[in-house]
Amino acid sequence: MSRTQALVQIIDLANQANDRTTYDYLLSEAESIMSRIRDEQVKYCDFAVMLTEKLELKNRRLH
């Protein structure tokens, strides 16, 4: 499984999480993977938009 595939799978699991703790943990894992993927790889990835939306949603939840 590539890092991008893992990232998408983690985000999908986070969206299905029933509690805040699980959601936060999964999103932190997604952010960790994201930091190891070069920007160019993500920019052209079909899931880049989804990732951006999920991270923005998380930021809104924290504020």
Side-chain angles (χ1 to χ4, degrees), residues 20-63:
R20 173 86 183 211
T21 303
T22 302
Y23 178 84
D24 289 345
Y25 171 76
L26 291 170
L27 261 285
S28 71
E29 288 297 311
E31 289 173 347
S32 174
I33 291 171
M34 188 67 188
S35 70
R36 289 181 260 147
I37 297 176
R38 292 191 350 234
D39 289 339
E40 299 83 37
Q41 291 174 316
V42 175
K43 189 184 304 180
Y44 297 106
C45 171
D46 291 337
F47 304 106
V49 172
M50 181 177 68
L51 173 65
T52 301
E53 290 171 355
K54 299 307 170 198
L55 293 176
E56 287 174 359
L57 179 60
K58 178 187 177 193
N59 286 335
R60 282 189 222 132
R61 287 182 183 178
L62 294 176
H63 296 293

